[in-house]
Amino acid sequence: QVQLVQSGGGLVQPGGSLRLSCAASGNIFSIRVMGWYRQAPGKQRELVARIATDGSTNYAESVKGRFTISGDNAKNTVSLQMNSLKPEDTAVYYCWVAARTTSAPSAEIAYWGQGTQVTVSS
């Protein structure tokens, strides 16, 4: 099993910045992708950004130019730097990883963090 522990989040004013971090631990055989999803009240969960172990990244159009995802393969961590935050960025943010465990290295499974609230309001 893989555990994801998130940190960061909180309340910020529009235009402000926040940094989210996530660390994966457990019986990890390999990790292919790590990323961030978010879910606002009454809305579907959506992909915010993701990064693969080769360094390639993907971003939602709504956050391009404002958010930056980064990772450390050696430490199994991923961070999301959020700048120029807008009220519409308000949501619960979830860390996500596609990983294989030592007990079942042939199976790639998605694991989720506990989620952290990000509120952008004046």
Side-chain angles (χ1 to χ4, degrees):
Q1 190 174 25
V2 177
Q3 296 82 42
L4 300 179
V5 179
Q6 300 178 214
S7 61
L11 174 65
V12 297
Q13 293 183 302
S17 299
L18 275 177
R19 185 176 181 86
L20 305 180
S21 296
C22 178
S25 62
N27 300 319
I28 301 172
F29 179 78
S30 66
I31 293 176
R32 180 173 64 85
V33 182
M34 296 188 77
W36 296 90
Y37 283 74
R38 67 185 181 187
Q39 187 167 27
K43 296 184 178 180
Q44 296 289 102
R45 185 174 297 184
E46 65 173 346
L47 174 68
V48 178
R50 61 185 178 187
I51 184 169
T53 53
D54 64 1
S56 60
T57 59
N58 291 284
Y59 295 92
E61 286 295 325
S62 60
V63 307
K64 284 184 177 179
R66 300 188 298 120
F67 292 9
T68 301
I69 189 170
S70 60
D72 187 327
N73 293 335
K75 297 181 179 180
N76 292 327
T77 59
V78 64
S79 297
L80 184 68
Q81 178 65 45
M82 304 183 291
N83 298 325
S84 301
L85 283 162
K86 304 175 181 179
E88 49 263 47
D89 293 319
T90 296
V92 175
Y93 285 69
Y94 297 90
C95 180
W96 168 85
V97 60
R100 298 174 185 270
T101 65
T102 55
S103 60
S106 63
E108 186 173 85
I109 302 173
Y111 297 90
W112 297 86
Q114 78 276 18
T116 185
Q117 178 71 47
V118 171
T119 301
V120 184
S121 176
S122 59

